Amino acid sequence: MAALHTERAVAVIGSGAMGAGIAQVAAVAGYTVHLFDTRPPAVAKAISDIAAALNKLVARERMSAIDCAAAIARVHAAVTLDAVAGAGLVVEAIVENLDAKRALFAQLEAIVGDDCILATNTSSISVTAIAAGLRLPERLVGMHFFNPVPLMALCEVVSGLATDAGVAQTVYDTAAAWGKNPVHAKSTPGFIVNRVARPFYAEGWRLLNEQAADAATIDAVLREAGGFRMGPFELMDLIGHDVNFSVTQSVFNAYFGDPRFTPSVLQQEMVNAGFLGRKTGRGFYRYGDDAAAPQAQSEAAQPKPEYVSYTIEQGGAAHAVGGAVVDALAARLRAAGIDITHRKTPETIRPAGAHDDAPAFHCNGAAIYLTDGRSATQRASDNHHPDTVLFDLALDYGSARRIAVACADQCSPAAYHAVVGLLQAAGFTVTRLDDVPGMAVMRTVAMLANEAADAVNQGVCSAAAADIAMQKGVNYPRGPLAWADAIGIEHIVRVLANLANSYGEDRYRVSPLLRRKQVSGGRFHE
C-alpha cells in the first residue's frame, strides 16, 4: 500500500487543539485541508493559530517563508459539512462521545465517496463501536494523535474488528508521510499508550500511599535516576488530575475491574478537593509567581567507607540476575576512583539457609543488593544478614544524578551510613525510600514492561510498536520491553513475582509472554 496521494484532499472535523494540529501537519505535508466545525468562529481562530505557528517556524529558521505561505494557503474553512464531499480522508476530532461520533460518521457516509477513508482521533472509545452501524464499517480506522500534534511524533493507527487491513496500512503510510512515527494497534481499551502507561501513575500512587517518600522525592527519583522527563505527580499535575483519573477509571471499567488498573483513592480525593494541577493553580505542587518548589529528600553527607568488595560468581561473571545492572554501578564506582576488591562467592560459603543470592557489594559490614521486588527487611531475613541495603534501578548509572536506597529494619545506622557514603563518593545524590517492595524505578519499569508484554501477548501490537509508542507518545527514555531486555527478563519476572508475593494481589501477576521469554532465554529485541 501507499500513502494517500496529495491530489486527494484531507478533511478534518473539529477545530479544537487536536483538529487544528492535525490540519496543520497535513497541510505542511502538502495536502489540501478542509477544516470544519459547527462553530465557524472556531474554524477562523484555528486557521489563524495555524498561520501563527508556522510563521514562528519561519522566524526560527525551521521553515522557509515560501513553504509557510503554501501550507497556510492549503487550509480552507469548510462552511458546511457537504464541503468535504471530495475528500480522500476525513479525520474526526470532536468530543469524546460515542453517540456524537457515530452520528457524525453516519452523516459523512451520505456525503463522501465510497473510496474515502474515515478516521477517528479517539483516545479511549472503541473503534469497533464507532464503526458499528455504518454501511461500510471496513473503511473506518483509528488515527490517534497526541497533543500537541505538530510536536508529538506518535500516531496510533487503530484497527477495529471490521477495519480493512489495506485501509489501516494506507493510513499508516499517510501518517508516515506527514512526518509521524505510526504504529499499528488493535482496538482494545487504551490502545497502546493509555494502557501501557497506567503503571507509571499507578505505582507512583502506591508508593505515596505506602509513605515510601513524598511526591516531590518520588518525582525526583523517577526523573533523575529513572531518566523520565517528568515524575508521575508533576506529569499528572500537567495533564490534570480530573483527566488522568477519568482515563484510569475508563480503562479499569473497560477491563471489567482488572486490579492491574485500579484507580487511586488518593487521586479521587485530589479531584474531590479541586486540586487538579496546573490549571487550578494547585495539585501536588502549587503554581504561580510566588509558589515555592518543594525539595526532594536527600541524605546528609557521610564519609567514604574504608572497604568495598564486589561479589562475582564462580566463573567470573557478576550475579546472573541483574548482573548487567550491577556491573554498571560497579563501573561508576571505579570511575570515581573507589577501589573495589573482587570477591568470589562459591555456593558453599553462602550463609546457611540463604534465600537465593549473594550481595552485589560489601561495604563496612553492609550487604548491598539490587532490588528484586522484596523489601530490604524481607531480604535481610531470607539471607540472614541484618545489615542489608538495597539500591534502585537507574536508566544509566554512569550519568544518573540520583540513586534511591532502602535499608532493612534490622540494619544498623553505621552500616547504612557506610553505603550512603559510598554512593555519595561516586557522585550520586542519595535518596532514602522507606522499605517498600520493589522500590520506585524498578517496580515502575517492571510493571510497564509487564503491561507492554501483555499487550503484545494479546495481539494488540508488536514489541517494536509498544516501545515506539511509549517513547514517541509519552517521551519515555527507553521502550519498556527494550528496558526489560537490558535489565534481564529473569530479573523482571523475579521482581514481579516478589511483588505479587509481598502484596498478595493479582495486580502483579506476571505476563505469560514474560514467563515464556524467561524460560526460553529469549528477548523482545534480538
Side-chain angles (χ1 to χ4, degrees):
M1 304 300 293
L4 184 74
H5 198 282
T6 52
E7 290 181 357
R8 299 296 304 274
V10 172
V12 179
I13 313 300
S15 61
M18 294 298 293
I22 295 166
Q24 178 178 321
V25 297
V28 168
Y31 292 80
T32 297
V33 178
H34 298 290
L35 183 58
F36 174 81
D37 198 294
T38 54
R39 306 158 298 154
V43 176
K45 181 182 183 302
I47 293 175
S48 175
D49 289 346
I50 291 170
L54 295 181
N55 278 305
K56 283 183 181 178
L57 295 180
V58 174
R60 296 171 186 165
E61 298 184 345
R62 294 172 58 188
M63 187 179 200
S64 72
I66 293 174
D67 288 343
C68 172
I72 293 169
R74 284 192 284 268
V75 183
H76 305 278
V79 178
T80 67
L81 198 58
D82 288 338
V84 310
L89 169 66
V90 179
V91 184
E92 164 272 312
I94 65 171
V95 64
E96 279 288 272
N97 178 277
L98 176 59
D99 291 338
K101 292 181 187 296
R102 280 177 167 173
L104 173 62
F105 283 116
Q107 284 182 274
L108 287 168
E109 271 208 315
I111 294 171
V112 300
D114 286 356
D115 64 341
C116 177
I117 295 173
L118 303 179
T120 174
N121 183 55
T122 184
S123 60
S124 60
I125 300 174
S126 164
V127 172
T128 299
I130 294 172
L134 290 180
R135 179 172 56 85
L136 299 173
E138 63 271 15
R139 63 166 162 177
L140 189 137
V141 65
M143 199 174 189
H144 181 212
F145 293 92
F146 291 75
N147 197 31
V149 179
L151 299 180
M152 298 301 290
L154 184 66
C155 177
E156 291 180 318
V157 178
V158 186
S159 294
L161 286 179
T163 303
D164 180 81
V167 167
Q169 189 61 45
T170 296
V171 168
Y172 180 99
D173 293 339
T174 300
W178 292 3
K180 299 302 176 186
N181 287 108
V183 292
H184 284 292
K186 187 168 69 176
S187 182
T188 55
F191 309 145
I192 304 174
V193 171
N194 281 332
R195 171 185 177 168
V196 176
R198 295 343 300 160
F200 184 70
Y201 312 111
E203 294 310 307
W205 286 114
R206 291 294 289 259
L207 290 166
L208 188 69
N209 192 49
E210 294 173 30
Q211 304 181 77
D214 58 73
T217 298
I218 295 169
D219 278 345
V221 170
L222 268 293
R223 193 175 57 245
E224 297 173 26
F228 292 92
R229 189 166 296 183
M230 302 179 78
F233 301 106
E234 55 191 339
L235 179 55
M236 286 184 283
D237 269 9
L238 177 64
I239 294 168
H241 287 280
D242 54 339
V243 174
N244 185 264
F245 185 62
S246 177
V247 173
T248 301
Q249 283 184 303
S250 175
V251 173
F252 177 68
N253 292 332
Y255 279 103
F256 305 108
D258 188 329
R260 189 172 283 170
F261 306 108
T262 302
S264 167
V265 173
L266 290 180
Q267 189 169 37
Q268 185 176 50
E269 283 289 275
M270 296 287 287
V271 174
N272 290 342
F275 300 162
L276 306 183
R278 289 179 181 267
K279 61 187 176 185
T280 60
R282 180 176 179 180
F284 274 99
Y285 303 94
R286 290 184 180 271
Y287 301 91
D289 295 338
D290 59 346
Q295 297 301 305
Q297 182 274 334
S298 302
E299 293 294 79
Q302 299 294 334
K304 178 181 174 181
E306 297 177 358
Y307 172 80
V308 183
S309 69
Y310 177 36
T311 299
I312 57 176
E313 295 294 331
Q314 288 288 13
H319 189 266
V321 179
V325 174
V326 173
D327 283 342
L329 180 56
R332 168 79 172 250
L333 297 174
R334 292 194 191 95
I338 298 171
D339 183 28
I340 305 176
T341 302
H342 282 173
R343 170 176 167 172
K344 289 188 177 181
T345 308
E347 187 72 28
T348 55
I349 71 169
R350 289 191 187 180
H355 182 70
D356 58 8
D357 50 355
F361 303 97
H362 284 273
C363 171
N364 289 22
I368 311 169
Y369 301 85
L370 171 66
T371 178
D372 71 349
R374 285 175 286 168
S375 66
T377 301
Q378 182 65 54
R379 202 156 181 177
S381 175
D382 290 341
N383 291 304
H384 302 286
H385 198 306
D387 288 337
T388 290
V389 180
L390 306 183
F391 65 94
D392 202 359
L393 179 66
L395 174 68
D396 180 357
Y397 287 99
S399 60
R401 293 180 289 160
R402 185 179 297 269
I403 191 169
V405 296
C407 72
D409 292 348
Q410 309 94 310
C411 185
S412 69
Y416 172 68
H417 290 150
V419 177
V420 172
L422 170 66
L423 296 171
Q424 288 173 337
F428 288 107
T429 296
V430 180
T431 287
R432 179 176 179 174
L433 300 177
D434 195 32
D435 189 23
V436 296
M439 303 189 71
V441 182
M442 181 64 84
R443 71 189 279 171
T444 298
V445 170
M447 284 294 280
L448 290 169
N450 200 40
E451 199 55 53
D454 246 12
V456 174
N457 193 51
Q458 295 163 10
V460 174
C461 61
S462 67
D467 279 353
I468 290 169
M470 303 316 292
Q471 288 183 284
K472 301 299 183 181
V474 279
N475 291 313
Y476 283 6
R478 178 181 281 170
L481 299 178
W483 213 334
D485 283 345
I487 297 166
I489 303 295
E490 183 178 356
H491 193 73
I492 292 293
V493 170
R494 176 169 292 189
V495 169
L496 293 166
N498 284 331
L499 285 169
N501 185 58
S502 294
Y503 289 105
E505 296 180 41
D506 192 49
R507 173 193 188 97
Y508 296 104
R509 66 186 184 273
V510 180
S511 167
L513 184 56
L514 276 177
R515 289 280 192 195
R516 182 174 168 184
K517 295 287 185 183
Q518 176 200 19
V519 172
S520 69
R523 295 163 53 89
F524 287 99
H525 304 286
E526 298 299 338

